[in-house]
């Protein structure tokens, strides 16, 4: 279009909608309104009012004018999505097989999507507290979901956002609505709070003199930043080697050029401690993470958009922070599987960070003590530049690691269920006497993972899923960890009527009980999804632990990452085996990574640290390599295994999951879908077969795993599978997962 044409020329816009439809829709722009690509508009789509994103503005359209509806309104005055983010969304849609609208939707914070609406629906207690408590019990029998919802509101102890409530209880709208109808709860609209995530005050800004390895790493990255070149670095540094200090110095270099940066950390390590280390050095830091209310997140988004904040730190979705003039993206703990989103769009933030870096000519730094095989492979092939920090920085030394073979424990100790080996008990006693602190790690919450009938050997299973239910003793109920469904503990076995069920296995709750019995004078605390449900609980426990009001901290993976407490001199891994037998080709890799991360929590200060790894498989190579902190030997052995079995990094994976109420329907759908795939070169298909968890929420699950051995065959496989909306039927849901992080 020439610049001389009148501005009033009829204009059309292409709009991407958050629907699984792989196309954009044409709408007319009313005279007088102006929009740019990246603006949000409201449109009428088959009678529904939907928000969408403008992806293009044109003066002509091939459609007959009488077929084109006008947009209803323009939603934002300012541009929420700069062109680079629009392009990133296009790349994301192409890579992960979702629609452009779905990709764009994932980028915008919720508050931007409902502009102007500053009120958030909550529910709060209407009935008197005692009556409500009574109602929890009464409803338990016949209206379990209502009971669960009500109990959760009571535990929360104040008006609770409805979205959070549904997420936590795994329920739909109907239970809370019924409770409102019956006068137990009431819905209230509450203006969203505008508080900020305040970093811990004690995170003083110590600026260490760099050691030579750190200096080298900083220099290498800073050179590229100064040259405004895109480059991806892999910073491989053992735990405590000062990676964070390196990030901080690189950030200084970026800020010195006036550019902005994004720092991605796993959700779990986004603590005030972590935030504090960045925010204390850079006051123009904005924090983005899922623990914030929508309003808080929206405010941070605004600060970035307006250039008032220049550094965004957050979990996965902070990748989409609308920073001005991006110079650097840091992905800390690049091996973490939480960087992969497990709902549509199923993107991997690390991979998309590299794409964004390319698009905006920014440097990307991936950091880890245990890089994934994919990343270390790319570094060795020169696709990434490798930077290494082989030693702990400062005073800390790598801990001494003891592998404790549980097969040698006396039978009585094993029979009691809780296995704290003699070695670990003796050390705990010693450390507690010295007023040091102990971490006990067990990646399983609840009291016992299985409630088993000793008569017939049957475990109590969820009615809706094909998994056994976990016994939670404190709340005195069985819980399905897949769908949140709950049951009372049966007095007699529902299958064979045998009296008395047996609690099999150990969860964090049982472990805590055992520690309390054994060390009655020690103060213990537990960190897992059950104890951390309340807002702020995380910070509270970590704060007490820091002040040494807690002697023994017991927890799941929540305590495995990032914690830096100088007085922790003993770390016990209660069972190294929980993840080893998971049917996933990454079982060994994840075990190795987890053991290294947990071990990294010991001996971070002046005092030496010891780690005890308890296992029934002391000869397993992942356990062995972790015990010697020998990343290289692990990688060598694991690569051999991957090569032989044809898994990443030697193949790219695609998983197709079909879910239906009728098992045969899911099966048939995949049997049809697999046919064109079988014709392809350099492609191998495993399945279709029932998924490991064959049924969830009353849906039968079948899946197939497509291994693609070349980039070309990957593209061919994506094309052969087609789109999810074409595959799915009214009664069978289909999920396409590129580079899946879960195979269950
Ligand atoms: P990582 O992120 O690699 O686990 P951190 O950045 O948390 O390591 O550093 C570990 C500890 O070492 C921290 O307490 C940090 O303050 C300290 N540290 C980092 N760099 C140095 C240095 N050059 N000299 C002294 N101490 C350092
Ligand atoms: Zn279930």
């Amino acid at each position: 279009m020439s610049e001389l044409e009148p501005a009033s020329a009829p204009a059309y816009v292409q709009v991407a909608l958050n629907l699984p439809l792989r196309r954009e829709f044409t709408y007319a722009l009313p005279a007088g309104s102006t929009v740019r690509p990246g603006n949000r508009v409201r449109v009428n789509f088959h009678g529904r009012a939907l928000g969408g994103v403008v992806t293009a503005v044109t003066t002509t359209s091939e459609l007959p004018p009488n077929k084109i509806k006008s947009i209803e309104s323009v939603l934002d005055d300012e541009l929420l999505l700069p062109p680079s983010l629009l392009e990133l969304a296009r790349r994301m849609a192409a890579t992960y097989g979702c629609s452009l609208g779905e990709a764009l939707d994932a980028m915008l914070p919720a508050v931007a999507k409902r502009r102007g609406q500053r009120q958030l629906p909550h529910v709060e207690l209407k009935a008197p507290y005692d009556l409500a408590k009574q109602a929890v019990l009464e409803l338990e029998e016949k209206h379990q979901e209502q009971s669960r919802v009500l109990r959760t509101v009571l535990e929360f102890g104040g008006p609770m956002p409805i979205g959070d409530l549904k997420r936590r209880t795994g329920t739909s709208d109907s239970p809370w609505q019924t409770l409102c109808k019956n006068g137990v709860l009431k819905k209230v609209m509450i203006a969203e709070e505008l508080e900020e995530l305040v970093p811990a005050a004690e995170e003083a800004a110590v600026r260490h003199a760099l050691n030579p390895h750190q200096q080298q790493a900083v220099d290498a990255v800073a050179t590229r930043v100064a040259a405004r070149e895109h480059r991806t670095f892999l910073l491989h540094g053992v735990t405590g080697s000062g990676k964070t200090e390196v990030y901080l110095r690189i950030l200084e270099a970026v800020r010195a050029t006036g550019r902005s940066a994004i720092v991605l950390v796993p959700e779990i390590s986004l603590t005030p401690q972590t935030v504090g280390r960045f925010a204390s050095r850079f006051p123009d830091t904005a924090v983005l993470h899922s623990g914030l209310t929508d309003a808080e997140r929206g405010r941070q988004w605004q600060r970035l958009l307006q250039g008032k904040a220049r550094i965004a730190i957050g979990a996965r979705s902070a990748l989409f922070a609308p920073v001005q003039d991006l110079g650097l993206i840091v992905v800390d703990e690049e091996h973490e599987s939480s960087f992969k989103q497990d709902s549509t769009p199923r993107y991997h933030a690390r991979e998309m960070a590299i794409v964004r870096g390319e698009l905006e000519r920014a440097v990307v730094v991936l950091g880890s003590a245990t890089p994934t095989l994919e990343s270390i492979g790319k570094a060795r092939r020169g696709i990434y530049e490798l930077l290494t920090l082989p030693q702990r920085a400062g005073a800390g030394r790598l801990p001494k690691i003891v592998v404790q073979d549980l097969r040698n424990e006396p039978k009585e100790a094993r029979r009691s269920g809780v296995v704290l080996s003699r070695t670990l008990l003796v050390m705990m006693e010693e450390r507690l006497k010295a007023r040091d602190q102990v971490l006990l790690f067990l990646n399983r919450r609840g009291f016992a993972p299985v409630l088993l009938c000793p008569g017939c050997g049957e475990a109590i299973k969820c009615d809706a899923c094909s998994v056994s239910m976990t016994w939670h003793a404190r709340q005195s109920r069985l819980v399905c960890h897949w769908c949140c469904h709950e049951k009372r503990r049966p007095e007699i076995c529902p299958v064979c009527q045998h009296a008395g069920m047996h609690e099999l296995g150990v969860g964090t709750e049982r472990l805590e009980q055992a520690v309390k019995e054994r060390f009655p004078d020690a103060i213990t605390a537990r960190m897992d999804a059950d104890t951390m449900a309340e807002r702020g609980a995380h910070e509270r426990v970590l704060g007490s632990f820091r002040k040494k009001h807690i002697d023994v901290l017991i927890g799941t993976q929540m305590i495995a990452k990032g914690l830096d407490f100088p007085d922790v001199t003993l770390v016990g891994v209660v069972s190294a085996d929980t993840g080893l037998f998971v049917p996933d080709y990454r079982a060994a890799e994840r075990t190795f990574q987890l053991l290294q991360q947990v071990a990294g929590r010991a001996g971070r200060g002046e005092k030496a640290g010891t780690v005890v790894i308890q296992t029934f498989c002391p000869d397993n190579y992942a356990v062995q390599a972790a015990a010697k902190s020998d990343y290289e030997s692990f990688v060598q052995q694991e690569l051999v295994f991957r090569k032989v079995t044809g898994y990443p990094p030697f193949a790219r994976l695609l998983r197709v999951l079909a879910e239906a109420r009728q098992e045969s329907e899911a099966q048939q759908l995949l049997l049809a879908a697999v046919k064109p795939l079988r014709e392809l070169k350099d492609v191998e298909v495993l399945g279709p077969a029932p998924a490991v968890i064959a049924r969830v929420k009353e849906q039968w699950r079948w899946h197939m795993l497509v291994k693609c051995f070349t980039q070309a065959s990957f593209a061919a496989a994506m094309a052969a599978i087609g789109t999810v909306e074409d595959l799915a039927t009214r009664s069978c849901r289909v999920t396409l997962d590129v580079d899946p992080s879960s195979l269950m």
Side-chain angles (χ1 to χ4, degrees):
M1 158 180 146
S2 121
E3 296 209 358
L4 296 174
E5 251 176 276
S8 60
Y12 301 96
V13 288
Q14 297 295 312
V15 179
L17 299 171
N18 179 20
L19 298 169
L21 297 174
R22 238 138 291 231
R23 48 167 296 208
E24 283 129 75
F25 298 88
T26 304
Y27 285 87
L29 197 60
S33 35
T34 50
V35 295
R36 281 180 293 166
N39 270 134
R40 291 181 24 85
V41 292
R42 182 167 295 284
V43 299
N44 178 323
F45 183 76
H46 294 293
R48 271 201 292 165
L50 293 179
V53 175
V54 173
T55 57
V57 183
T58 52
T59 49
T60 57
S61 168
E62 282 161 17
L63 295 171
N66 62 351
K67 288 260 185 246
I68 302 179
K69 283 197 236 87
S70 252
I71 62 164
E72 293 189 344
S73 58
V74 181
L75 292 174
D76 340 293
D77 328 323
E78 68 215 309
L79 200 61
L80 283 187
L81 290 161
S84 59
L85 283 182
L86 265 181
E87 182 53 30
L88 184 63
R90 283 200 181 92
R91 299 275 291 265
M92 203 157 113
T95 308
Y96 295 101
C98 65
S99 75
L100 181 56
E102 288 171 328
L104 287 166
D105 191 70
M107 291 186 167
L108 291 162
V111 71
K113 288 180 229 163
R114 15 173 218 84
R115 270 306 169 94
Q117 182 187 333
R118 305 227 67 96
Q119 302 266 311
L120 198 65
H122 287 60
V123 283
E124 66 177 13
L125 211 54
K126 188 171 177 202
Y129 184 85
D130 289 345
L131 281 182
K133 221 167 162 188
Q134 185 69 30
V136 171
L137 297 175
E138 284 163 9
L139 289 165
E140 192 144 45
E141 203 56 38
K142 292 225 173 67
H143 302 283
Q144 211 205 48
E145 295 199 327
Q146 287 182 42
S147 167
R148 197 155 79 224
V149 163
L150 185 54
R151 177 163 44 81
T152 307
V153 174
L154 286 175
E155 280 168 6
F156 194 76
M160 184 170 186
I162 289 173
D164 289 355
L165 177 66
K166 281 160 60 182
R167 220 174 309 131
R168 200 170 293 165
T169 53
T171 55
S172 64
D173 282 319
S174 114
W176 72 261
Q177 282 171 342
T178 309
L179 285 165
C180 288
K181 227 175 282 158
N182 297 340
V184 187
L185 293 180
K186 69 172 176 218
K187 182 177 162 183
V188 283
M189 297 303 289
I190 294 184
E192 299 168 85
E193 314 150 52
L194 288 173
E195 67 184 86
E196 274 173 72
L197 186 80
V198 185
E202 57 262 49
E203 292 315 316
V206 197
R207 197 168 173 280
H208 297 284
L210 298 180
N211 66 39
H213 292 290
Q214 288 175 315
Q215 189 65 54
Q216 250 173 23
V218 170
D219 292 345
V221 177
T223 309
R224 300 288 183 165
V225 168
R228 289 191 168 247
E229 268 177 70
H230 164 66
R231 189 83 184 124
T232 302
F233 292 88
L234 177 63
L235 178 63
H236 177 200
V238 298
T239 53
S241 59
K243 292 187 289 296
T244 310
E245 192 60 43
V246 170
Y247 304 148
L248 289 165
R249 292 302 182 91
I250 301 168
L251 284 167
E252 283 176 11
V254 171
R255 292 299 296 116
T257 65
R259 300 170 83 194
S260 301
I262 297 172
V263 180
L264 300 184
V265 301
E267 184 78 58
I268 222 164
S269 32
L270 196 62
T271 57
Q273 188 186 8
T274 312
V275 171
R277 288 180 76 177
F278 290 89
S280 62
R281 292 246 198 126
F282 305 101
D284 54 355
T285 299
V287 189
L288 300 161
H289 80 116
S290 71
L292 303 177
T293 65
D294 287 345
E296 284 167 337
R297 207 170 338 167
R299 212 167 84 85
Q300 303 287 5
W301 180 274
Q302 284 297 328
R303 287 178 61 212
L304 290 161
L305 201 59
Q306 293 158 4
K308 288 184 189 151
R310 304 298 302 243
I311 293 174
I313 175 167
R316 188 174 59 227
S317 66
L319 169 62
F320 308 120
V323 297
Q324 293 186 357
D325 197 6
L326 182 68
L328 171 76
I329 307 177
V330 171
V331 184
D332 188 27
E333 314 276 11
E334 66 88 25
H335 63 276
E336 266 293 303
S337 53
S338 67
F339 285 123
K340 178 81 160 58
Q341 174 149 299
D342 61 4
S343 60
T344 307
R346 297 173 173 267
Y347 68 93
H348 199 300
R350 177 189 64 216
E351 301 309 315
M352 288 298 105
I354 294 169
V355 172
R356 186 166 183 189
E358 265 166 39
L359 291 171
E360 303 191 32
R361 290 211 292 161
V363 169
V364 178
V365 177
L366 314 176
S368 175
T370 52
T372 53
L373 290 168
E374 286 88 335
S375 295
I376 196 76
K378 284 183 184 162
R380 292 194 175 152
R381 277 179 283 139
I383 299 170
Y384 304 159
E385 211 164 301
L386 184 63
L387 306 167
T388 314
L389 305 178
Q391 294 146 11
R392 279 206 167 167
R397 267 155 298 142
L398 281 177
K400 178 172 159 227
I401 303 181
V402 180
V403 175
Q404 186 58 37
D405 186 349
L406 290 179
R407 294 172 307 185
N408 298 336
E409 287 301 302
K411 281 221 174 62
E412 316 82 75
R414 274 200 256 162
R415 208 173 315 121
S416 72
V418 176
V419 201
L420 284 172
S421 62
R422 284 161 300 174
T423 311
L424 185 51
L425 285 171
V426 168
M427 285 196 196
M428 283 178 72
E429 197 161 340
E430 211 175 274
R431 297 308 159 94
L432 290 173
K433 258 201 205 116
R435 294 288 300 127
D436 284 350
Q437 291 175 298
V438 178
L439 281 183
L440 289 181
F441 172 79
L442 177 63
N443 214 1
R444 218 191 257 142
R445 66 195 170 93
F447 190 84
V450 178
L451 202 60
L452 190 85
C453 169
C456 66
E458 287 290 328
I460 304 283
K461 291 233 168 85
C462 175
D463 297 333
C465 313
S466 58
V467 294
S468 39
M469 299 179 85
T470 302
W471 171 241
H472 289 247
R474 197 178 60 89
Q475 301 158 308
S476 177
R477 57 178 63 84
L478 283 154
V479 182
C480 168
H481 286 182
W482 279 75
C483 75
C484 304
H485 186 79
E486 296 177 353
K487 262 189 208 173
R488 282 200 192 170
R489 180 182 181 136
E491 298 294 328
I492 56 169
C493 171
V495 179
C496 75
Q497 273 74 47
H498 183 99
M501 303 292 284
H502 188 71
E503 291 148 6
L504 195 71
V506 188
T508 42
E509 201 183 341
R510 188 176 205 166
L511 178 62
E512 185 181 25
Q513 190 188 58
V515 172
K516 279 188 169 143
E517 277 166 16
R518 189 62 205 241
F519 302 100
D521 296 332
I523 299 168
T524 65
R526 173 158 60 95
M527 273 184 87
D528 55 30
D530 298 319
T531 56
M532 295 295 111
E534 224 176 293
R535 224 183 144 189
H538 208 253
E539 287 75 21
R540 241 188 344 267
V541 172
L542 289 182
S544 307
F545 194 60
R546 177 171 304 278
K547 292 192 205 112
K548 297 193 73 175
H549 297 166
I550 295 168
D551 304 309
V552 184
L553 184 60
I554 294 157
T556 54
Q557 53 191 349
M558 281 186 183
I559 63 166
K561 315 248 150 65
L563 305 189
D564 189 0
F565 298 107
D567 285 324
V568 172
T569 56
L570 177 63
V571 170
V573 178
V574 175
S575 170
D577 311 335
T578 48
L580 267 184
F581 302 109
V582 176
D584 188 310
Y585 70 95
R586 280 158 304 201
E589 185 181 18
R590 290 194 174 149
T591 298
F592 176 78
Q593 287 165 346
L594 201 56
L595 291 178
Q596 289 287 278
Q597 294 295 331
V598 179
R601 301 310 115 220
R604 294 180 70 90
E606 313 251 316
K607 303 182 202 168
T610 306
V611 179
V612 178
I613 298 179
Q614 304 196 128
T615 175
F616 283 101
C617 324
D619 301 324
N620 179 284
Y621 65 100
V623 175
Q624 285 280 329
K628 296 191 205 110
S629 302
D630 190 349
Y631 175 77
E632 195 49 48
S633 101
F634 173 74
V635 167
Q636 288 314 324
Q637 296 191 58
E638 187 64 9
L639 279 176
V640 172
F641 162 73
R642 302 282 181 92
K643 180 129 205 187
V644 171
T645 51
Y647 276 107
F650 300 101
R652 191 144 186 214
L653 296 185
L654 256 162
R655 181 186 189 220
V656 187
L657 175 74
E659 294 167 288
R661 229 161 233 280
Q662 297 291 327
E663 183 170 13
S664 59
E665 205 179 331
Q667 178 185 12
Q668 292 307 325
L669 188 141
L670 289 187
L671 285 175
V674 76
K675 278 190 193 131
L677 289 166
R678 297 232 187 264
E679 318 278 304
L680 299 177
K681 223 174 66 181
D682 296 326
V683 167
E684 185 191 326
V685 187
L686 302 184
V692 179
I693 310 292
R695 193 164 162 257
V696 170
K697 293 194 183 178
E698 301 185 342
Q699 302 283 315
W700 290 95
R701 309 164 82 236
W702 272 64
H703 69 169
M704 60 181 178
L705 199 60
V706 187
K707 293 177 176 177
C708 310
F709 298 108
T710 60
Q711 199 51 43
S713 70
F714 174 76
M718 283 289 276
I721 289 171
T723 64
V724 171
E725 67 264 25
D726 287 341
L727 277 176
T729 65
R730 193 179 282 263
S731 49
C732 188
R733 216 168 76 117
V734 177
T735 307
L736 171 66
D737 199 352
V738 175
D739 308 329
S741 91
S742 165
L743 304 177
M744 303 288 272

